[in-house]
Amino acid sequence: MTVTTRVKLSTMMFLEFFIWGSWFVTMGTYLGKTLGATGVQNGNAYATQSWGAIIAPFIIGLIADRFFSAQKVLGILHLTGAALLYYITTIPNFDGFFPIILAYMIVYMPTLALVNSVSFKQMTNPSKEFPPIRVFGTAGWIVAGFLIGWLGWEQSNSLILTFKMAAIASLILGLMSFTLPSTPPAKKGQKTSLSDIMGLDSIGLLKNRSYLIFFLSSVAICIPLAFYYNFTNPFLNEIGMKAAAGKQILGQASELAFMALMPLFFVRLGVKKMLAVGMIAWVLRYIFFAYGDTGANYWMLIAGIVMHGICYDFFFVTGQIYTDNLAGEKFKSAAQGFITLATYGVGMLIGSYISGPIVDKFKVSETSHNWTTIWLIPAGIAAFVFLVFVIFFTDKNQIQTKPGLDIEEPQGRLEV
């Protein structure tokens, strides 16, 4: 890979996640403060991510993989996204906001797979070449959060600017995409079935009792996960944390740190212990949020944010590797697609629709909620999932890894 290509791909990854991080983390706060949205409406807005994740495989499988070069589809989608993001800043109410954000997420979610496709096509050794490029995506998310916090847009009620910032970045990436290395359609002239698109060829893995427990646990743990993505920023702003979006980037820093340490855990812990630690971390995170405040217990809020690395890496990344090892060469791609569709599609969708009514139920005034009770609910759900998992999951094998292992995030992942 040439230096020019490496720079282009790294810039592409940076912008891809800078766009998402520019508005997604603080959308709940924007909806509540600027558009007067309820918790239910907030949940519905975040559910558009799941609908996008469900629809994305069809756009990739029926269009990008068969008819057009990936970099051109990427460019068209981001240019369309730029227009939608800018238009959304002109809408004064939630009823007008919702269909546009839904349209945007349907346009954006397929780009997560497309940037990977463009990258892998240029690589001779993806396991070594991809991670240094993919890390620029996390950097993009971190920079977006830092800028929002540094500029004080949450405190000044100027979060509408986050959508404008994302629109500009999307325009830049859209135009830049047409200069990326050519990535012809991978399945041109081939027939694509519904089974191929949804990864149903791997459904036979569910005959393995332990994998079935893991699969159901993955879907269920995404329900409390939705509480975190949808309501952490409104919660932190409501209780008075300054530059909350800037503080939340500590979660991405933690993710990078634990990602680097994971090979050490792989050789010491079995599959069950790795996954169990990831799940119990969700319980502890929500307990920290439930009893944290901006006074003496401020450390609890920071600890809850920093635990993102354990919450995500130990469960979701370990789960990806477990799935990859169990599926074998024939069904690897199908299995990853299937588990992603089930978690970030179905699981997160359920969580988004459940979290909104719960937050509304514990609203105590126009500007405050009973957050202790709210956070203890996802803590309880995560604890139940943890108990079911540790009781019924029996696969205690070591996860086999090799130097340069490509630990890749699932399509539709929220780096929050």
Side-chain angles (χ1 to χ4, degrees):
M1 186 190 305
T2 66
V3 174
T4 299
T5 298
R6 186 180 299 276
V7 170
K8 285 185 176 181
L9 296 181
S10 299
T11 304
M12 173 190 72
M13 282 294 181
F14 180 91
L15 290 171
E16 174 74 15
F17 288 92
F18 178 88
I19 293 165
W20 200 1
S22 291
W23 63 271
F24 192 81
V25 175
T26 56
M27 180 175 68
T29 301
Y30 171 76
L31 291 176
K33 288 187 175 181
T34 305
L35 301 188
T38 64
V40 170
Q41 290 173 325
N42 188 14
N44 290 343
Y46 276 100
T48 61
Q49 176 214 228
S50 298
W51 286 115
I54 292 171
I55 295 171
F58 293 90
I59 295 177
I60 300 298
L62 296 178
I63 299 175
D65 280 350
R66 298 178 64 192
F67 299 110
F68 304 102
S69 295
Q71 81 278 5
K72 293 180 180 178
V73 178
L74 181 67
I76 292 171
L77 291 177
H78 273 299
L79 290 176
T80 303
L84 290 171
L85 285 170
Y86 186 80
Y87 177 66
I88 215 168
T89 64
T90 68
I91 299 174
N93 54 65
F94 182 82
D95 289 340
F97 178 94
F98 178 76
I100 305 303
I101 201 64
L102 174 60
Y104 177 74
M105 291 309 286
I106 291 173
V107 166
Y108 177 82
M109 294 305 286
T111 67
L112 295 169
L114 289 171
V115 293
N116 288 344
S117 296
V118 172
S119 297
F120 288 136
K121 183 66 176 178
Q122 318 309 319
M123 298 176 182
T124 55
N125 189 347
S127 65
K128 291 184 178 180
E129 294 176 284
F130 184 73
I133 289 174
R134 177 56 187 82
V135 75
F136 278 89
T138 301
W141 191 286
I142 290 174
V143 170
F146 173 79
L147 285 175
I148 294 170
W150 179 60
L151 295 170
W153 286 348
E154 292 159 290
Q155 283 69 45
S156 63
N157 199 26
S158 302
L159 288 175
I160 194 170
L161 296 175
T162 63
F163 294 97
K164 293 182 179 180
M165 181 169 70
I168 293 171
S170 187
L171 175 63
I172 293 171
L173 181 52
L175 295 174
M176 175 190 159
S177 296
F178 294 99
T179 71
L180 294 172
S182 178
T183 309
K187 298 180 180 179
K188 189 172 183 178
Q190 299 181 25
K191 292 184 177 180
T192 302
S193 67
L194 179 64
S195 179
D196 292 334
I197 292 172
M198 300 183 68
L200 297 181
D201 288 341
S202 65
I203 202 167
L205 291 175
L206 299 182
K207 294 178 182 179
N208 180 310
R209 180 174 177 271
S210 284
Y211 189 78
L212 176 62
I213 296 299
F214 160 73
F215 178 85
L216 295 176
S217 298
S218 297
V219 174
I221 205 69
C222 282
I223 296 174
L225 176 61
F227 281 79
Y228 175 72
Y229 289 156
N230 299 6
F231 292 102
T232 297
N233 190 257
F235 157 66
L236 295 176
N237 276 286
E238 184 176 302
I239 65 174
M241 177 181 280
K242 295 181 178 180
K247 301 293 194 308
Q248 286 182 261
I249 65 176
L250 294 173
Q252 277 62 59
S254 167
E255 180 184 333
L256 291 176
F258 279 102
M259 190 78 76
L261 294 172
M262 283 190 75
L264 299 178
F265 292 104
F266 285 155
V267 298
R268 290 170 173 79
L269 302 175
V271 174
K272 183 173 184 176
K273 290 180 180 178
M274 290 286 289
L275 296 172
V277 169
M279 282 190 285
I280 199 65
W282 284 105
V283 180
L284 294 176
R285 157 180 266 180
Y286 290 130
I287 290 175
F288 283 149
F289 280 176
Y291 295 104
D293 55 48
T294 54
N297 292 329
Y298 188 77
W299 68 271
M300 288 188 174
L301 301 179
I302 299 300
I305 294 171
V306 172
M307 286 186 72
H308 178 76
I310 302 175
C311 293
Y312 180 76
D313 291 344
F314 275 62
F315 188 81
F316 288 102
V317 175
T318 300
Q320 278 185 286
I321 299 171
Y322 173 53
T323 298
D324 186 78
N325 288 346
L326 193 64
E329 290 297 329
K330 185 176 180 181
F331 297 113
K332 282 186 177 183
S333 296
Q336 295 293 348
F338 185 49
I339 191 68
T340 298
L341 183 67
T343 52
Y344 284 91
V346 177
M348 284 288 290
L349 187 67
I350 295 172
S352 292
Y353 287 140
I354 288 177
S355 61
I358 289 174
V359 171
D360 278 346
K361 180 177 176 61
F362 293 99
K363 185 175 183 178
V364 296
S365 72
E366 287 301 315
T367 58
S368 64
H369 297 75
N370 181 352
W371 287 108
T372 298
T373 302
I374 290 171
W375 289 123
L376 288 177
I377 291 172
I381 297 173
F384 176 77
V385 176
F386 167 78
L387 290 175
V388 171
F389 177 81
V390 296
I391 292 172
F392 294 103
F393 186 90
T394 58
D395 189 343
K396 299 180 181 179
N397 294 327
Q398 298 291 107
I399 296 177
Q400 300 300 319
T401 64
K402 55 187 178 181
L405 176 67
D406 175 14
I407 302 175
E408 179 186 343
E409 295 176 2
Q411 298 171 16
R413 150 86 162 65
L414 299 173
E415 297 180 315
V416 190

